C-alpha cells in the first residue's frame, strides 16, 4: 500500500480489504491444514506424505478441492433432502463467521492505525463467538440425522452429547480470561495483556488455559475426542453418507473451527499479538507473533491426533462432567474472588 | 427499513412457530423452532438488545435445542420420510383447541400490557448512567436493582433441577437419570 495514498482511500475499501485478507487467510489456512495434517502425520510415521502435486506437495489442497468439485454427489434413498443439503453449510458457515471478532494485530501505515480484524471492538465479542460457535454442531447433528443411516445417526447423537458436555467447561474457562481482563470485548482483552503480562501467567489463568485447550479439542471434534466420526466404530460418523463437495464442506468447517479456536486461545490467554515481559510490542512484530502462536496450536491439534489413542465415550463424559466442569467452576470462583479483592474500590 | 425487516422477521417467527405445531416429524418441529429462535434474536438486535440476542442464540439455539435433538434422536420414531410434511391432525383435538385458546388469551394479555407500557410515561434516564442495552447497564440493573429476583430465579431453577432428578430417579430406580438436567 502506498503511504501517501491511505488518506485518500475510502473507508469502504479498507473494510473490504480487511474482510478479504482475513477471510481469505482463514480459508487458505484451513486448506493448508489438510495438507499439514497429512505431512505431519507422515513425518511422525516416517513416511513422505503427499509430495507429487507442486513443490513439497503444496498444491495438494487445490488438487483435492478440484477433485471434490468434479465428483458425483449421492443422496441416499430415504434421506431428508432439505436437511441433507443444508447440513454441510450449517457446519461450515458459523465456524467461518466466528473469525470476525478476533483481533489479529494492527497495521500502522503512515501514522494511521488499521486494526487487522473484520469487526474490531465489538462490545460482546465473546458472546458472538460462543453463540455462533455453538451453532456449528447443528451441521453434524442434522446431517447425521438426515442421512437415514445408523452410523450417521450415532455420529450426530455423539456430537450433540459431547458438545453439551464440553461447552460448559469451555465457557467457564473463557470467563476466567474475561474476569481477569474485565471485558467481553476481545480487543480490550488483548489490550489488558499488551504490557507483557499474559492471562496465562496467573495460576487460575493457567488452569483455565489448560481446560480451554482440552475443551477446544472436544468442541472441534478432534482426536482424542473425535467420537462423532470415530472410524473403527461408525465408519465415518455423521458424514458417512456424504460425498463430493458437501463432504469437503464438513472438513472445511472443521479446519476453520480449529483455526478459530487456536486464534481464540492465543487471544484469551497468550496475549494475542504481544510478546511476553515486554512493555510494548512493535506493531510490525505483532502480526507474525500472533500467527506463530496460532500456528503452534494448529500444530498441537495435529500432534495430539497422531500421538494419543482415542478415549472411550464414557471416559469422555466422565472427564467432561466429573473432572473438567468442577475444576472450571472452582477456578472461576477463585479468579473472581481474587479480582474482587485486589481491585481498588471493588 | 427497520420496519420492513421487523415484519419479515415476525412472519418468519410466526411461520416457524406454526411449523413447530404442525410438522409431522418432531425433527421438523425442532428445525422450525430453530428458525423462530433466530428470527427472535434478530428482532432483539433490531431493538438494540445485543446481549439478549446473543443469549437467545447461545442458550436456546445453541444449548437447549441441541438437547431436544439429542432426546429426539434417542427416541424410536420410525421412518422419517424424505420430506418434511405438515399434519393438521393436532388442530382437531379438543385439548389442542383449549390449549390454543389459553395461549391466545395469554398473548392478548401480553399485548395489552405492552400497549399500556409503551403509552405510560417513561422516566427520564440519568444521562451519565450506562444504557440498559449495554453489557454494563444490564449488569448494573441485574445485580443492583433486580438482584433479589435474579437470585430467586436461580433458586427456582435449582429447585426445578432437584425435582426433576428426584422424579426421574423414583420412576426408574437403578437407571441412570436422563442426561442433561444441567441448565446450560
Amino acid at each position: 500500500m502506498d503511504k501517501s495514498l491511505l488518506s485518500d482511500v475510502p473507508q469502504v475499501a479498507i473494510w473490504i480489504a480487511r474482510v478479504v485478507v482475513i477471510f481469505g487467510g482463514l480459508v487458505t489456512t484451513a486448506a493448508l491444514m489438510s495438507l499439514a495434517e497429512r505431512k505431519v502425520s507422515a513425518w511422525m510415521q516416517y513416511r513422505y506424505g503427499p509430495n507429487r502435486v507442486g513443490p513439497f506437495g503444496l498444491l495438494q489442497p487445490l488438487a483435492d478441492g478440484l477433485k471434490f468439485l468434479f465428483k458425483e454427489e449421492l443422496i441416499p434413498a430415504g434421506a431428508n433432502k432439505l436437511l441433507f443439503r443444508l447440513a454441510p453449510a450449517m457446519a461450515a458457515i458459523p465456524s467461518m463467521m466466528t473469525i470476525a471478532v478476533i483481533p489479529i494485530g494492527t497495521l500502522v501505515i503512515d501514522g494511521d492505525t488499521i486494526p487487522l480484524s473484520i469487526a474490531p471492538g465489538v462490545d460482546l465479542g465473546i458472546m458472538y463467538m460462543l453463540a455462533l460457535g455453538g451453532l456449528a454442531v447443528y451441521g453434524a447433528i442434522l446431517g447425521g440425522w438426515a442421512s437415514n443411516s445408523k452410523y450417521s445417526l450415532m455420529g450426530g447423537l455423539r456430537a450433540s452429547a459431547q458438545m453439551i458436555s464440553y461447552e460448559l467447561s469451555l465457557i467457564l474457562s473463557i470467563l476466567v480470561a474475561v474476569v481477569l481482563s474485565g471485558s467481553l470485548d476481545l480487543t480490550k482483552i488483548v489490550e489488558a495483556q499488551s504490557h507483557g503480562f499474559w492471562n496465562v501467567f496467573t495460576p487460575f489463568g493457567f488452569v483455565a488455559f489448560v481446560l480451554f485447550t482440552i475443551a477446544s479439542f472436544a468442541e472441534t471434534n478432534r482426536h482424542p475426542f473425535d467420537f462423532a466420526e470415530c472410524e473403527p466404530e461408525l465408519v465415518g460418523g455423521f458424514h458417512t453418507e456424504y460425498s463430493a463437495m458437501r463432504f469437503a464442506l464438513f472438513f472445511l468447517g472443521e479446519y476453520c473451527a480449529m483455526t478459530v479456536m487456536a486464534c481464540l486461545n492465543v487471544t484469551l490467554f497468550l496475549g494475542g499479538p504481544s510478546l511476553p515481559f515486554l512493555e510494548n510490542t512493535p506493531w510490525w512484530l505483532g502480526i507474525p507473533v500472533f500467527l506463530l502462536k496460532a500456528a503452534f496450536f494448529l500444530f498441537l491439534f495435529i500432534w495430539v491426533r497422531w500421538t494419543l489413542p482415542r478415549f472411550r465415550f464414557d471416559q469422555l463424559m466422565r472427564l467432561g462432567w466429573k473432572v473438567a466442569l468442577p475444576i472450571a467452576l472452582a477456578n472461576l470462583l477463585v479468579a473472581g474472588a481474587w479480582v474482587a479483592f485486589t481491585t481498588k474500590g471493588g | 427499513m427497520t420496519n420492513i425487516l421487523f415484519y419479515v422477521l415476525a412472519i418468519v417467527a410466526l411461520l416457524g412457530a406454526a411449523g413447530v405445531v404442525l410438522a409431522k416429524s418432531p425433527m421438523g418441529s425442532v428445525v422450525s423452532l430453530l428458525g423462530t429462535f433466530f428470527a427472535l434474536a434478530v428482532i432483539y438486535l433490531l431493538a438494540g438488545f445485543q446481549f439478549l440476542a446473543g443469549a437467545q442464540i447461545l442458550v436456546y439455539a445453541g444449548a437447549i435445542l441441541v438437547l431436544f435433538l439429542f432426546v429426539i434422536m434417542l427416541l424410536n420414531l420410525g421412518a422419517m420420510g424424505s420430506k418434511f410434511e405438515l399434519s393438521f391432525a393436532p388442530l382437531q383435538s379438543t385439548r389442542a383447541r383449549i390449549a390454543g385458546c389459553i395461549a391466545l388469551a395469554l398473548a392478548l394479555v401480553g399485548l395489552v400490557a405492552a400497549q399500556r407500557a409503551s403509552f405510560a410515561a417513561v422516566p427520564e434516564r440519568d444521562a451519565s448512567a450506562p444504557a440498559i442495552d449495554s453489557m454494563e447497564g444490564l449488569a448494573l440493573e441485574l445485580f443492583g436493582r433486580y438482584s433479589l429476583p435474579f437470585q430467586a430465579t436461580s433458586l427456582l431453577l435449582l429447585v426445578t433441577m432437584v425435582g426433576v432428578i428426584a422424579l426421574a430417579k423414583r420412576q426408574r430406580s437403578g437407571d441412570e437419570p436422563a442426561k442433561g438436567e444441567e441448565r446450560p
Side-chain angles (χ1 to χ4, degrees), chain A residues 113-135:
Chain A
T113 310
I114 302 173
L116 193 58
S117 159
I118 294 176
V122 174
D123 202 18
L124 294 163
I126 293 203
M127 196 88 183
Y128 168 86
M129 286 216 63
L130 289 173
L132 279 176
L135 294 179

Side-chain angles (χ1 to χ4, degrees), chain A residues 78-83 90 124 127 130-131 135 137-138 141-142 145-146 148 153 156-157 160-161 163-164 184 321, chain B residues 27 31 34 38 50-51 54-55 57-58 61-63 65-67 69-70 73-74 80-84 135 182 184:
Chain A
N80 187 305
K81 291 205 177 69
L82 177 73
L83 280 186
M90 287 176 95
L124 294 163
M127 196 88 183
L130 289 173
L135 294 179
V137 75
Y138 276 105
I141 301 177
L142 294 178
W145 180 81
N148 194 23
L153 183 70
L157 197 57
S160 60
M163 188 264 178
I164 294 263
L184 280 173
W321 289 105
Chain B
M27 210 61 165
V31 176
L34 189 61
F38 263 97
Q50 296 180 17
F51 182 80
I57 300 280
L58 182 64
L65 266 192
V66 173
L67 213 65
L69 284 176
F70 183 78
M73 284 160 101
L74 279 178
M80 59 177 174
S82 60
K83 268 187 196 155
F84 285 128
M135 196 63 205
E182 213 73 30

Side-chain angles (χ1 to χ4, degrees), chain B residues 26 57 60 142-143 145 162 166-167:
Chain B
I57 300 280
Y60 284 94
L142 208 56
F143 297 108
R145 187 144 63 119
V162 172
L167 283 176

Side-chain angles (χ1 to χ4, degrees), chain B residues 52-121:
Chain B
L52 208 56
Q56 167 88 7
I57 300 280
L58 182 64
V59 175
Y60 284 94
I64 291 183
L65 266 192
V66 173
L67 213 65
F68 283 7
L69 284 176
F70 183 78
V71 173
I72 287 174
M73 284 160 101
L74 279 178
L75 301 173
N76 188 10
L77 295 168
M80 59 177 174
S82 60
K83 268 187 196 155
F84 285 128
E85 282 166 13
L86 295 181
S87 148
F88 292 92
L91 296 185
Q92 255 99 63
S93 79
T94 319
R95 271 192 212 172
R97 282 178 186 154
I98 295 172
C101 287
I102 294 173
L104 190 67
L106 285 176
L108 279 176
V109 169
L111 201 65
V112 171
Q115 194 77 7
R116 291 179 70 129
S118 67
F119 283 125

Side-chain angles (χ1 to χ4, degrees), chain A residues 64 163 343:
Chain A
D64 287 343
M163 188 264 178
T343 314

Side-chain angles (χ1 to χ4, degrees), chain A residues 214-229:
Chain A
I214 294 172
S216 67
F217 276 79
E219 282 284 300
T220 49
N221 266 328
R222 286 289 297 186
H223 232 93
F225 305 126
D226 62 339
F227 290 94
E229 292 165 34

Side-chain angles (χ1 to χ4, degrees), chain A residues 178-238:
Chain A
V178 172
V179 164
L180 289 176
S181 308
S183 177
L184 280 173
D185 180 351
L186 284 166
T187 317
K188 285 189 185 135
I189 291 178
V190 168
E191 265 167 31
Q193 302 176 75
S194 66
H195 304 298
F197 193 74
W198 297 350
N199 281 338
V200 73
F201 294 152
T202 55
F204 12 87
F206 182 74
V207 174
F209 164 71
V210 173
L211 282 172
F212 180 88
T213 310
I214 294 172
S216 67
F217 276 79
E219 282 284 300
T220 49
N221 266 328
R222 286 289 297 186
H223 232 93
F225 305 126
D226 62 339
F227 290 94
E229 292 165 34
C230 198
E231 295 88 353
E233 295 166 26
L234 297 179
V235 190
F238 61 90

